[in-house]
Amino acid sequence: MTNDKNVNLKNLSVQEKRDFLRSADSSQIKKIFRKVSPSEIAEIIGGLPSDELVDILEVFPKSQQTEILENIDTEKARKVSQLLLYGKDTAGGMMAVEFSAFNQNVTIEVVIDKIRKDSPDTNRAFYIYVVDDMNRLLGVISLRDLITKPPQTVIRNILKKSVVSVPHILDREATANFFQKYNFLAIPVVDEKNCILGIITADDVSRAVRQEATEDLIRITGISSDDLSIDAPLTLSLKKRLPWLVFNMFLDVIAVSVVAIYQGTIQAVVAIAVLMPVISDMSGNTGFQGLTLIVRGFALGKISTKDFWKIFRRQSILGLITGIVLGLEVALLAYLWKWNPYFGLVAGAAMFCSIYIAGFVGIMIPLFLKFIKVDPAVATGPVLTTITDLTGFFITLSLATKAIDLIK
Amino acid sequence: MTNDKNVNLKNLSVQEKRDFLRSADSSQIKKIFRKVSPSEIAEIIGGLPSDELVDILEVFPKSQQTEILENIDTEKARKVSQLLLYGKDTAGGMMAVEFSAFNQNVTIEVVIDKIRKDSPDTNRAFYIYVVDDMNRLLGVISLRDLITKPPQTVIRNILKKSVVSVPHILDREATANFFQKYNFLAIPVVDEKNCILGIITADDVSRAVRQEATEDLIRITGISSDDLSIDAPLTLSLKKRLPWLVFNMFLDVIAVSVVAIYQGTIQAVVAIAVLMPVISDMSGNTGFQGLTLIVRGFALGKISTKDFWKIFRRQSILGLITGIVLGLEVALLAYLWKWNPYFGLVAGAAMFCSIYIAGFVGIMIPLFLKFIKVDPAVATGPVLTTITDLTGFFITLSLATKAIDLIK
């Protein structure tokens, strides 16, 4: 698959070109079309389903989008322009306009006649939707009825009313969870008046699920999705990663300023400087587990802000047991190292408090962001470790300072 | 959606029960069926498509699986037992056995007659596969041909030979990437002799993609997928998370033993104890970015082991620039704090070296695991930070020791 990367599109058939484009990322698409004229681009991508065409068009700047669209079949270009208006992260932005909808008063014969004329790509999901005179969604007819009922049957009489649809403004994550719940291969997207606008097929959903998973990783590790390709320009990778790292160091400096305040304690008991990284690392790890749980839980639709108290109570007990076990472990190791029971006690107590607090910080950051309806697209992972470092250092150093005469 | 969690299945219709089960995780399924007899379970899940039935059955121990299967329709139970034999992470483990395949010598009339008799669920994807006398896959026939060609047409004459299939042993990740490349709604799964065994539909793929994304998070943060539900028993969460944390602390102790060796340096220049957490945190972050890039790159099929040198060269330059920028930043801050240019120099040099090494460690861990064909199901994130802590501490303390007279 890797050898596709630097492929010369010219040697490929139209179908191969399309297959390649479907799995390419934005930097690959830009690279490939750099020296290609808008009319040639239009020729290659014009035959793609509307939703995939939109995904590729979105890589280009507005002016170039217009140029490409001018070279595409007028009717299709009109539909695609409309699709470009929907938010990328909504059901509207995921849908394709290739679907079959018929007025309830037509006969099976009309439907079959239309299918005969359509290109085979038009309705890959083979659901046939039924609408009223206002284009409002009434139901769906099955392939079986279509084949087995007399051709003169009016479709109003064979429609199934139990059709499930999603509003075009539903966000991508919720749409994906909706699909997961009902195992449909396609779901119609409707507007406020229940008029059918397009369909989302299950393959679009798996694409969306991948993007969501990548977004979660951005939140957690500060890697951008544009940066996930080894073909992305180095300047892009640097532009995406460096500002975040530079900012993160400022956060770190705030955290270590606590250490600077307690320099006297460290000078008196250097062993504390050995202990500190263990405590900050372990509280970081504990916090990350809680953070991951909540971020993925929201993404998979397994939790909502209503679960706040349940998550809180759960964490109270989890943090308690984790803190006790790790506190005892470090207390024992510290005692064995210095043969000073008070040093062991300080180490254990500092670990317990830091772990307990870190667990709450880990669940609170994403819960809080969700609660104030901010999409945590910011890297919450680094913020977490800065807070856990800060509390870990403060607890360890202030406990050590209090017990300084016993542990010196 | 959250209110579904503690639902009493008894009050739901069969369809609602099935919708609920589809989105439930293993601990919810266990909880719900705790007091339900095998025959009642069979009644509820017996009507599910075979692939979903298998997913639910896998939650139960072998003995209970047999009891449930004894209460399911014999023909279906036989098929499901076979599906249970495939590896969960292969195309065989993802497929359903509900598909339509016809011998090449039958007529359209026979196909339509079969569709009339089948339940509507049988062939959700509406692809009709054509096989020879040995059940080997020959091609596919389109809905359009089915409706528009004369009923006496033998299907051999209208089949499209360009059918894409996957071998049953293909792993889940590769299968998902295959779907992503071609936008089919279903792909047939075949054995070594090209005989059709089942089909995978696009909705199964998005489920697989979610599981893969979660597996990546396990590698990175040490959260298990069983643990991703807030309804999972506390003991399960502790059993999954605690051993890993306890082990991690031992790794940490190894890392900080370096600090213990250099206690003299810290006592002489306490400012080094302030610097160390900044350097270890920043190298951890840089390493994580590389790690995430490679882990997700493999999952999305964007990179392979063949790209080793390309990734290596790329990281050489990325690490260089990142190291220089962050090195200068910390050198400036350290200088402004102590007004000692040598202290700034030590801080900057230590940061540069640590960042440069951490970047390589981040990409090497997953590349190495992939190269020796080990699935990095182990938590690679904690291993990474232990190595980056170790190198960061060692570099900082040894540089500071060398320059001790200048920075004191």
Side-chain angles (χ1 to χ4, degrees), chain A residues 290-320:
Chain A
L291 181 75
T292 307
L293 184 76
I294 305 298
V295 168
R296 279 312 280 171
F298 277 129
L300 300 175
K302 289 194 172 183
I303 53 174
S304 80
T305 42
K306 279 181 227 147
D307 294 313
F308 181 85
W309 286 111
K310 189 168 179 183
I311 296 168
F312 193 85
R313 276 196 308 273
R314 206 180 142 76
Q315 182 59 46
S316 312
I317 306 168
L318 270 179
L320 196 72

Side-chain angles (χ1 to χ4, degrees), chain B residues 325-396:
Chain B
V325 172
L326 297 179
L328 287 175
E329 186 183 1
V330 81
L332 183 70
L333 292 172
Y335 173 66
L336 292 177
W337 178 33
K338 291 286 167 192
W339 287 106
N340 178 338
Y342 298 104
F343 184 68
L345 205 64
V346 166
M351 180 66 88
F352 171 79
C353 297
S354 306
I355 291 279
Y356 200 67
I357 293 170
F360 281 112
V361 175
I363 62 165
M364 285 304 175
I365 293 176
L367 278 175
F368 175 73
L369 289 172
K370 195 84 184 181
F371 191 72
I372 60 168
K373 297 196 189 333
V374 166
D375 185 44
V378 288
T380 49
V383 175
L384 169 79
T385 50
T386 302
I387 299 177
T388 55
D389 277 1
L390 190 68
T391 50
F393 293 153
F394 176 74
I395 291 166
T396 312

Side-chain angles (χ1 to χ4, degrees), chain A residues 198-371:
Chain A
I199 59 165
I200 297 176
T201 48
D203 58 326
D204 304 327
V205 173
S206 69
R207 191 170 292 127
V209 167
R210 279 177 181 232
Q211 285 171 2
E212 290 293 339
T214 307
E215 278 182 17
D216 286 351
L217 276 172
I218 298 169
R219 292 167 204 190
I220 292 173
T221 66
I223 277 274
S224 148
S225 54
D226 298 335
D227 189 10
L228 268 180
S229 160
I230 54 166
D231 292 308
L234 269 176
T235 45
L236 176 80
S237 297
L238 285 169
K239 217 171 78 186
K240 292 281 175 181
R241 297 192 212 174
L242 255 185
W244 173 83
L245 287 170
V246 169
F247 169 72
N248 194 222
M249 201 192 290
F250 276 103
L251 289 183
D252 274 353
V253 169
I254 297 168
V256 294
S257 60
V258 174
V259 183
I261 296 168
Y262 286 102
Q263 285 183 73
T265 306
I266 294 173
Q267 199 140 29
V269 194
V270 185
I272 290 295
V274 182
L275 192 63
M276 273 168 24
V278 181
I279 290 178
S280 79
D281 194 46
M282 293 311 296
S283 16
N285 286 334
T286 316
F288 253 114
Q289 292 186 332
L291 181 75
T292 307
L293 184 76
I294 305 298
V295 168
R296 279 312 280 171
F298 277 129
L300 300 175
K302 289 194 172 183
I303 53 174
S304 80
T305 42
K306 279 181 227 147
D307 294 313
F308 181 85
W309 286 111
K310 189 168 179 183
I311 296 168
F312 193 85
R313 276 196 308 273
R314 206 180 142 76
Q315 182 59 46
S316 312
I317 306 168
L318 270 179
L320 196 72
I321 300 174
T322 310
I324 290 173
V325 172
L326 297 179
L328 286 176
E329 186 183 2
V330 80
L332 183 69
L333 291 173
Y335 172 65
L336 291 177
W337 178 34
K338 291 285 167 193
W339 288 105
N340 178 337
Y342 298 105
F343 183 68
L345 204 65
V346 166
M351 181 66 88
F352 172 79
C353 297
S354 303
I355 292 279
Y356 200 68
I357 292 170
F360 281 112
V361 174
I363 61 165
M364 284 305 174
I365 293 177
L367 279 175
F368 175 73
L369 288 172
K370 195 82 181 183
F371 192 73

Side-chain angles (χ1 to χ4, degrees), chain B residues 163-278:
Chain B
V163 60
V164 171
S165 64
V166 291
H168 71 90
I169 48 161
L170 193 69
D171 82 38
R172 191 172 61 175
E173 207 166 277
T175 308
N177 289 331
F178 194 84
F179 252 89
Q180 201 77 5
K181 200 171 157 102
Y182 307 96
N183 62 345
F184 298 119
L185 289 178
I187 287 184
V189 179
V190 294
D191 66 11
E192 298 76 14
K193 293 172 189 143
N194 202 33
C195 296
I196 182 163
L197 299 170
I199 58 164
I200 297 177
T201 48
D203 57 327
D204 303 327
V205 174
S206 69
R207 190 170 292 127
V209 168
R210 279 176 180 231
Q211 283 171 4
E212 290 293 338
T214 307
E215 278 182 16
D216 286 350
L217 277 171
I218 296 169
R219 293 168 200 188
I220 293 172
T221 66
I223 277 272
S224 149
S225 53
D226 297 336
D227 188 13
L228 267 180
S229 159
I230 53 166
D231 291 307
L234 268 177
T235 46
L236 177 78
S237 297
L238 285 169
K239 217 172 75 186
K240 292 277 175 183
R241 295 191 214 176
L242 255 186
W244 175 82
L245 287 170
V246 168
F247 169 72
N248 196 221
M249 201 193 289
F250 275 102
L251 288 185
D252 273 353
V253 169
I254 297 167
V256 294
S257 60
V258 175
V259 184
I261 297 168
Y262 286 101
Q263 285 184 73
T265 307
I266 294 173
Q267 198 139 30
V269 194
V270 184
I272 291 294
V274 182
L275 192 62
M276 272 166 25
V278 181

